[in-house]
Amino acid sequence: MCFCFSPPLDFRLPRVETALFTSGFSVPSCVWQRVISMVMVAVGVYARLMKHAEAALACLAVDPAILLIVVGILMFLLTFCGCIGSLRENICLLQTFSLCLTIVFLLQLAAGVLGFVFSDKARGKVSEIINNAIVHYRDDLDLQNLIDFGQKKFGCCGGISYKDWSLNMYFNCSEDNPSRERCSVPYSCCLPTPNQAVINTMCGQGMQALDYLEASKVIYTNGCIDRLVNWIHSNLFVLGGVALGLAIPQLVGILLSMILVSQIKDQIKLQLYNQQHRADPWY
């Protein structure tokens, strides 16, 4: 049962500051959290509106603008419940805040466990996402920059291999493809050239037509999936520390919000008891 009760002004908890710090919120942090969430939503909406409608519809599942909007809205709602619930000592908002944090934590835990247990299926899903991103590489500038950054960062090209870029209509190797980039790969697949003042964006021209050994002299030939898996295996302790760093504040927030709810309920019971026995001469 959810009691949306706020104690009257003349009957608050003994120290309002204790309630604020118990729930993990303060007035400045509440303001900054909501400002950050609103900025995320604003940036996401602006980026979404500046795109062409066709590109937006074609690449909805991997659009960073949509991700910013969703995360910003959820962050705003979550911090609103936590901040206002702790400031006003509202049981309903505090329980909503605790429930949302619990759901987020359980979803993160389930994703980690399922990703570890069903690693083959997770690998197939990642491969599907990467292939879909390759197909829409030229349709979305944000996605294009993200893929270029990933390929340069991990030193890879394509999903399984550099020839996966044939999935894109501009880089397809078929004879009837009129594109000037036919059978090519993006410039982010090219091996870095030391002391290069100007980036050669045509360095991947015709690389898909070459065999593995010849292409490896100019571009990265290994796929990004294997590179990503190797990177995860080599940084397991770092990723575990990051996951733990994200989980601990969530668990602390859940625990302290429930403690605050319990304190508010105890004060409500005490107030009701005092009201019932106020007329008792022996009280």
Side-chain angles (χ1 to χ4, degrees):
M1 182 177 295
C2 186
F3 297 96
C4 294
F5 178 85
S6 295
L9 293 177
D10 59 345
F11 190 79
R12 286 285 178 181
L13 294 181
R15 287 176 57 85
V16 177
E17 293 84 4
T18 302
L20 291 176
F21 286 106
T22 300
S23 62
F25 287 101
S26 62
V27 175
S29 67
C30 285
V31 174
W32 280 111
Q33 287 169 354
R34 279 184 280 182
V35 168
I36 292 173
S37 63
M38 287 188 290
V39 168
M40 292 175 63
V41 173
V43 172
V45 171
Y46 174 78
R48 191 69 177 171
L49 293 176
M50 292 301 292
K51 295 180 181 179
H52 296 292
E54 308 85 35
L57 292 175
C59 200
L60 183 61
V62 290
D63 192 351
I66 290 294
L67 184 62
L68 274 177
I69 295 173
V70 172
V71 172
I73 292 175
L74 293 178
M75 182 177 174
F76 179 84
L77 294 176
L78 189 60
T79 55
F80 176 84
C81 291
C83 292
I84 303 302
S86 61
L87 289 171
R88 299 298 302 169
E89 299 165 11
N90 189 294
I91 294 178
C92 185
L93 291 178
L94 286 173
Q95 288 180 334
T96 303
F97 171 75
S98 178
L99 178 62
C100 291
L101 274 186
T102 303
I103 293 174
V104 171
F105 175 77
L106 292 178
L107 289 176
Q108 292 174 347
L109 182 63
V113 172
L114 292 176
F116 179 79
V117 175
F118 302 101
S119 57
D120 293 337
K121 291 185 178 180
R123 182 188 177 96
K125 186 62 177 179
V126 171
S127 178
E128 179 183 345
I129 293 174
I130 291 178
N131 289 338
N132 185 49
I134 289 175
V135 171
H136 299 291
Y137 175 77
R138 291 298 191 197
D139 301 337
D140 192 331
L141 185 59
D142 291 335
L143 179 63
Q144 180 176 324
N145 293 332
L146 181 62
I147 293 175
D148 288 336
F149 171 80
Q151 291 190 147
K152 289 187 288 186
K153 177 68 176 179
F154 292 104
C156 58
C157 187
I160 304 299
S161 71
Y162 64 101
K163 294 193 175 183
D164 288 341
W165 279 102
S166 281
L167 295 172
N168 187 278
M169 60 183 297
Y170 298 97
F171 299 106
N172 190 275
C173 280
S174 60
E175 295 293 337
D176 57 346
N177 185 9
S179 173
R180 293 184 178 181
E181 295 180 308
R182 187 178 72 85
C183 229
S184 300
V185 295
Y187 77 95
S188 55
C189 290
C190 297
L191 298 173
T193 303
N195 301 324
Q196 186 180 21
V198 180
I199 298 177
N200 179 16
T201 57
M202 302 299 294
C203 57
Q205 191 74 23
M207 287 296 110
Q208 292 188 61
L210 303 179
D211 59 26
Y212 184 86
L213 293 177
E214 292 179 347
S216 61
K217 299 177 183 178
V218 182
I219 63 172
Y220 300 111
T221 52
N222 293 326
C224 292
I225 296 177
D226 292 333
R227 290 286 188 179
L228 180 61
V229 171
N230 293 335
W231 182 84
I232 292 175
H233 287 166
S234 60
N235 294 275
L236 282 178
F237 289 105
V238 176
L239 295 175
V242 172
L244 187 62
L246 293 175
I248 289 178
Q250 293 175 356
L251 293 176
V252 171
I254 294 170
L255 177 62
L256 295 183
S257 62
M258 295 309 298
I259 291 175
L260 183 56
V261 168
S262 177
Q263 291 177 349
I264 295 173
K265 288 183 177 180
D266 290 339
Q267 292 294 329
I268 294 173
K269 292 179 181 179
L270 180 59
Q271 182 188 21
L272 295 176
Y273 179 84
N274 291 336
Q275 290 176 349
Q276 291 174 358
H277 296 80
R278 187 169 297 171
D280 191 349
W282 297 101
Y283 178 70

